[in-house]
Amino acid sequence: GQNIDQPTEMTATEGAIVQINCTYQTSGFNGLFWYQQHAGEAPTFLSYNVLDGLEEKGRFSSFLSRSKGYSYLLLKELQMKDSASYLCAAMDSNYQLIWGAGTKLIIKP
Amino acid sequence: SQTIHQWPATLVQPVGSPLSLECTVEGTSNPNLYWYRQAAGRGLQLLFYSVGIGQISSEVPQNLSASRPQDRQFILSSKKLLLSDSGFYLCACPGGGSDNSPLHFGNGTRLTVT
């Protein structure tokens, strides 16, 4: 079957670095997406990886290893506004998204 | 880029009452459209998707239905709501023209069934 796993909750300190991991199993693969979702709001797109390696976008980076079925989202210089849920989603061979349950990130001052 | 409108933003409905949620999209023609539901503290569950007018695919059997009467309009309905229908309903469409374009979401409708 198709499956996505990511931690339920993580806590980090303002100014620090945090890495949110995601493992996936899909029938075929057409890319891995990360979304940010603040409480009570809709998800917003953060990053997309389809090739192995690291993609950097300012304070946020996303990594993919297709052979390991593994991705992570790296957040640097954490700010209080980064407190949110981070959703991992893998796209299968039919271009359908398989969603993880999300990782709630709590930032402490 | 497209804009997705959803309404209402919040809704409280009694068990057994009907439901109609509307989504309209601006800025693109013949988009793929999606209805998702997110239960409290849970991931996104795909309910329906549509590749064109009158074309609806259902992902999860339930008491909900969807219709696409116009190119940029997608409606989610129910004849009789259940308590388990409570959740955050999101309409989405791809942000670009390729199959692997990231989805953009409307602001969502928070439905509470009492």
Side-chain angles (χ1 to χ4, degrees), chain B residues 49-114:
Chain B
Y49 71 93
S50 171
V51 299
I53 296 173
Q55 299 178 67
I56 309 293
S57 294
S58 173
E59 293 295 308
V60 183
Q62 57 211 324
N63 68 320
L64 299 172
S65 62
S67 62
R68 188 164 175 180
Q70 299 180 42
D71 181 40
R72 300 177 191 182
Q73 185 183 29
F74 202 22
I75 299 172
L76 182 70
S77 304
S78 175
K79 293 182 179 177
K80 286 186 178 182
L81 284 169
L82 307 173
L83 286 174
S84 57
D85 291 325
S86 293
F88 191 37
Y89 287 81
L90 291 157
C91 179
C93 77
S98 58
D99 289 328
N100 59 354
S101 296
L103 288 181
H104 289 187
F105 291 87
N107 288 334
T109 295
R110 190 161 302 282
L111 172 66
T112 303
V113 182
T114 60

Side-chain angles (χ1 to χ4, degrees), chain A residues 47-107:
Chain A
S47 69
Y48 172 69
N49 295 66
V50 67
L51 299 176
D52 288 351
L54 188 68
E55 295 276 345
E56 297 187 72
K57 268 189 191 180
R59 293 190 299 114
F60 291 9
S61 303
S62 55
F63 171 83
L64 176 68
S65 168
R66 288 174 298 174
S67 62
K68 295 182 180 177
Y70 167 69
S71 173
Y72 67 72
L73 182 69
L74 190 72
L75 292 75
K76 302 177 185 176
E77 301 168 18
L78 286 170
Q79 301 174 11
M80 298 303 294
K81 67 178 183 180
D82 297 329
S83 291
S85 287
Y86 291 86
L87 310 180
C88 172
M91 182 171 273
D92 69 14
S93 58
N94 294 320
Y95 296 95
Q96 295 297 317
L97 284 171
I98 314 302
W99 293 86
T103 298
K104 182 178 180 180
L105 179 62
I106 299 168
I107 310 295

